[in-house]
Amino acid sequence: MSMDVTFLGTGSAYPSPHRGASALVLRTEGECWLFDCGEGTQTQLMKSQLRAGRITKVFISHLHGDHLFGLPGLLCTVSLNTNCDPQQTLNCVDIYGPRGLRQFLRVTLGLTGSQLIFPYAVHELEPTTDQSPEEGQLSAEMTAEHGPPHPQEQPGRTISLDVSSDSYLLFEDKKFVVKAFRLFHRIPSFGFCVQEHDRPGRLKTELLKELGLKPGPLYGRLKAGDPVTLESGHVILPSEVLEEAIPGRKVCILGDCSSIVGEGPLMLCSGADLLVHEATLGNEQREKAVDHGHSTPEMAAAVARACCARRLVLYHFSQRYKPCSLQKEGDEDDVSELKRQAEDALQDSGIEVTLAEDFLTLPVPLKR
Amino acid sequence: MSMDVTFLGTGSAYPSPHRGASALVLRTEGECWLFDCGEGTQTQLMKSQLRAGRITKVFISHLHGDHLFGLPGLLCTVSLNTNCDPQQTLNCVDIYGPRGLRQFLRVTLGLTGSQLIFPYAVHELEPTTDQSPEEGQLSAEMTAEHGPPHPQEQPGRTISLDVSSDSYLLFEDKKFVVKAFRLFHRIPSFGFCVQEHDRPGRLKTELLKELGLKPGPLYGRLKAGDPVTLESGHVILPSEVLEEAIPGRKVCILGDCSSIVGEGPLMLCSGADLLVHEATLGNEQREKAVDHGHSTPEMAAAVARACCARRLVLYHFSQRYKPCSLQKEGDEDDVSELKRQAEDALQDSGIEVTLAEDFLTLPVPLKR
Ligand SMILES: [Zn+2]
Ligand SMILES: [Zn+2]
Ligand SMILES: [Zn+2]
Ligand SMILES: [Zn+2]
């Protein structure tokens, strides 16, 4: 199964003609999951190879405008790009994000008379008080749901921290389990861990034939992990006839942060194939970065090292850093310097570093 | 005094890489007034010659997302671009638009923790029930103000229709009077009339010298319209010594509409130097246009003719119409056909037609 990540915006604070505001898409076999949706994301989508109508789930790391202001417009445009077959009931678009997101969408879609042809549900993550300074926490008055729900709004869940695993279980299906974990920022922020399930190895068909088993339903039972008893009474165990399992891939995407919170982040991100981490400013501006709730390449590298990620991808760069393609000799703020800083911090770790750029697509290959 | 209009977005429904969503700027001597603010307006501003920090007033014609979704992000970026001199109190940014706009900004800025370094006030226009079908009207529940005001939100006015003039007086200062008028659309929509005051003509200085009056404070009194009595007892009337008054210019900008409502629009737009009117679809799609609350070039031309405008500017084109610069031989939807249709309808009227394009700047010259 193919899997890749496409960056639609890699700039911090606001969108510019050089860098879109935060947004990236994880794509697996035609389904697209959108992580963050800054203003202009729909236009960036149109410029990319991706199709807006394929977006089935949305994840919002935190409520800052540079990660959210594009969402109402994006939903409207997805709706315009969805073929409406009246015979067919359209799937619900699931939207995950911090408490307050449901009311944000209700008001923005409602007051603008925005019509959607599909239902949507907002599943809210309940932050804890140690994810931001006190002034960054929303009062109950602010997030209280008020006014009529949008005609397409379906009831959403409220997801609280599971203290034993220090994480939030967003959903699990046949292919994936997706969890969130806590980050520290000026306002509560989250990271997301997309874990593909391991898949059974291929059947050793030569061996099965030798054992006298012909292709048929019993093959399926073995592949599903069930033992099979032959007419002779001989029992075949799946482990005897299956090649090694194909390990699931793991992609972890962190929202804005100056640090992780609790044990959850490192446990969940352990061994990530791709760890996407912000690096808003260079190491030499660490104090300023931390003051604003952000990270430097060195700080991002420390997280990647602590969780033994295979690849660290940096994004969410200050707009002062032009994309490499527009960089001129002698420009002061050179984004490739951010890559060098992370590489310096990861010497001898074997962890590779990639700089994200708008429209960069990174494949997430199978491990073997 | 120089005066010009710059289009930042000329597309309908959503922003695309070819046409931004609705937004235009009226500029007079460094002050910028923004009319509508679709998603991506701040990026379009950065691409233009205009400066975000110069925006002092915002006018929203109606609450559809393609005219509004860019406003929260734009305010944040204007704030980042405003020099904060702690000695200086920053001017309040006045925002005018339909009922519901205040709550929209309160929620979008509030839930996202958006900080602004300047105060703002939202002055809401109270629509009448004949500006849209019933389903397009917002319930009191939807627009009820709820939740704490933004720390920078100042009290705004609620402006009701002045029945005698069939218009809404937004404000009047030394240079301008700005009024709004009613339009019919899927949701209540408004047009804006910016009327520059007439200015007194130049003093006939040769004549004044002959009369024995030397340059000084008396010149100012004459220019201000006051008569002056000489020592000889002779009275000089301003009309004797002033050249003809310089007539004020008038720019009228209409939001989305399939028709005007009441007497106000034609009275206010009478003799407009620039009449900016939407033309979403070509004449051959009139039924579809009207169904969606929109106009064709012929319909826009009829308004321009009825109010004897000097120049009709068409904008808000369906995204199917590519800009002229990207138009290829044989493309089906040719935007210049929209211009021809308006010109056909304006034959012998003397009214000129201009097609707006993103980043087009139109000067509004003095009349003589
Ligand atoms: Zn950010
Ligand atoms: Zn942030
Ligand atoms: Zn529109
Ligand atoms: Zn509209």
Side-chain angles (χ1 to χ4, degrees), chain A residues 66-101:
Chain A
D66 58 326
H67 300 251
L68 179 59
F69 282 152
L71 186 54
L74 179 106
L75 292 173
C76 294
T77 298
V78 170
S79 180
L80 288 172
N81 281 281
T82 303
N83 296 319
C84 185
D85 175 355
Q87 298 301 309
Q88 190 196 344
T89 47
L90 291 166
N91 285 331
C92 183
V93 172
D94 286 305
I95 303 169
Y96 300 86
R99 178 163 64 87
L101 183 55

Side-chain angles (χ1 to χ4, degrees), chain B residues 245-358:
Chain B
I246 301 162
R249 290 160 286 186
K250 185 190 280 193
V251 175
C252 297
I253 298 157
L254 283 74
D256 290 3
C257 61
S258 56
S259 69
I260 56 178
V261 174
E263 306 294 314
L266 295 187
M267 287 196 298
L268 284 175
C269 300
S270 173
D273 294 276
L274 230 59
L275 183 83
V276 182
H277 196 296
E278 68 132 299
T280 307
L281 292 168
N283 290 348
E284 64 289 352
Q285 296 191 79
R286 182 181 182 128
E287 201 179 342
K288 183 176 171 192
V290 172
D291 264 6
H292 289 77
H294 290 303
S295 295
T296 63
E298 189 180 43
M299 293 162 69
V303 174
R305 190 186 274 273
C307 60
C308 303
R310 293 183 161 218
R311 181 182 292 277
L312 169 64
V313 187
L314 300 178
Y315 78 141
H316 196 272
F317 308 119
S318 163
Q319 292 284 357
R320 69 170 64 180
Y321 298 103
K322 297 215 189 87
C324 285
S325 54
L326 295 177
Q327 183 78 28
K328 289 187 215 100
E329 275 283 316
D331 272 0
E332 246 185 53
D333 298 299
D334 182 355
V335 74
S336 55
E337 178 60 24
L338 302 182
K339 186 180 182 201
R340 279 192 290 275
Q341 293 179 350
E343 282 171 342
D344 278 356
L346 289 172
Q347 266 179 9
D348 310 318
S349 70
I351 301 172
E352 293 187 89
V353 178
T354 302
L355 280 186
E357 292 288 357
D358 290 15

Side-chain angles (χ1 to χ4, degrees), chain B residues 89-161:
Chain B
T89 47
L90 290 165
N91 285 332
C92 182
V93 172
D94 287 305
I95 302 169
Y96 299 87
R99 180 163 62 86
L101 183 56
R102 194 179 298 133
Q103 181 63 4
F104 178 89
L105 279 179
R106 189 178 287 188
V107 169
T108 51
L109 296 174
L111 285 173
T112 58
S114 298
Q115 287 164 8
L116 301 177
I117 66 166
F118 49 79
Y120 77 90
V122 181
H123 309 291
E124 291 191 337
L125 306 182
E126 199 63 66
T128 60
T129 55
D130 47 355
Q131 287 181 254
S132 79
E134 204 185 329
E135 68 265 24
Q137 287 155 30
L138 290 172
S139 66
E141 190 191 3
M142 288 285 299
T143 58
E145 282 163 34
H146 185 77
H150 190 276
Q152 292 285 21
E153 183 187 325
Q154 304 296 310
R157 290 151 57 210
T158 296
I159 311 174
S160 298
L161 182 72

Side-chain angles (χ1 to χ4, degrees), chain A residues 316-360:
Chain A
H316 196 272
F317 307 119
S318 163
Q319 293 285 357
R320 70 170 63 178
Y321 298 103
K322 296 215 190 87
C324 285
S325 55
L326 295 177
Q327 184 77 28
K328 287 186 219 107
E329 277 280 316
D331 271 1
E332 246 185 54
D333 298 298
D334 182 355
V335 74
S336 55
E337 177 61 22
L338 301 183
K339 186 179 183 204
R340 279 192 290 275
Q341 292 180 349
E343 281 170 342
D344 278 356
L346 288 172
Q347 265 180 10
D348 312 317
S349 70
I351 302 172
E352 293 186 90
V353 179
T354 302
L355 279 186
E357 291 288 355
D358 291 15
F359 309 114
L360 173 74

